[in-house]
Amino acid sequence: QVQLIESGGGLVQAGKSLELSCTVSGRTFSRDVMGWFRQAPGKEREFVAAIIWGFGTTLYADSVKGRFTISRDNAKNTVFLQMNSLKPEDTAVYYCAAGSNHLTGIRDLYNSWGRGTQVTVSS
């Protein structure tokens, strides 16, 4: 398993942008999948975006498509989530996750998780 540390969360006004980072410690493989999930108070953790580490293929939840972009820097072992045109409903704790072989939004297919970073969007 790898260790994941998120950073970049904070308080931002609606319509603004924020970039989250996830630093990965440990060995990664080209078919590993990195994902971002989020959990708002009183709600279940939901899928946001995912990327295949070695190939760059991406997948997005409909709610963020066109606003969020997931990317990775293989040399720095870091995954990013660029969030534009933020909305109050994007407020949540954002988690980085690592899985293997499945570009998916299914939470149970990810086996390593970070501790999360809080994103708050004010109206």
Side-chain angles (χ1 to χ4, degrees):
Q1 286 191 340
V2 295
Q3 291 186 330
L4 309 172
I5 300 176
E6 304 96 336
S7 61
L11 173 64
V12 65
Q13 289 184 327
K16 301 296 186 181
S17 299
L18 203 60
E19 184 178 68
L20 305 182
S21 300
C22 173
T23 302
V24 183
S25 298
R27 187 171 180 180
T28 57
F29 299 91
S30 61
R31 294 191 64 86
D32 285 347
V33 177
M34 301 300 300
W36 286 97
F37 288 74
R38 67 186 182 186
Q39 188 167 16
K43 295 188 176 181
E44 291 196 356
R45 194 170 298 187
E46 65 174 6
F47 171 72
V48 176
I51 187 168
I52 300 179
W53 188 263
F55 303 104
T57 312
T58 58
L59 178 70
Y60 294 94
D62 288 343
S63 58
V64 306
K65 203 172 292 183
R67 299 189 299 123
F68 291 10
T69 302
I70 187 171
S71 63
R72 85 281 189 232
D73 185 329
N74 291 16
K76 295 182 178 180
N77 258 23
T78 302
V79 178
F80 303 97
L81 185 68
Q82 176 66 42
M83 306 184 293
N84 298 329
S85 302
L86 283 162
K87 305 175 181 179
E89 50 263 43
D90 294 318
T91 295
V93 177
Y94 283 71
Y95 297 89
C96 181
S100 61
N101 297 321
H102 301 280
L103 185 62
T104 178
I106 300 175
R107 188 177 60 193
D108 290 346
L109 294 181
Y110 291 83
N111 49 34
S112 297
W113 292 84
R115 291 189 172 185
T117 185
Q118 176 70 47
V119 172
T120 303
V121 184
S122 63
S123 57

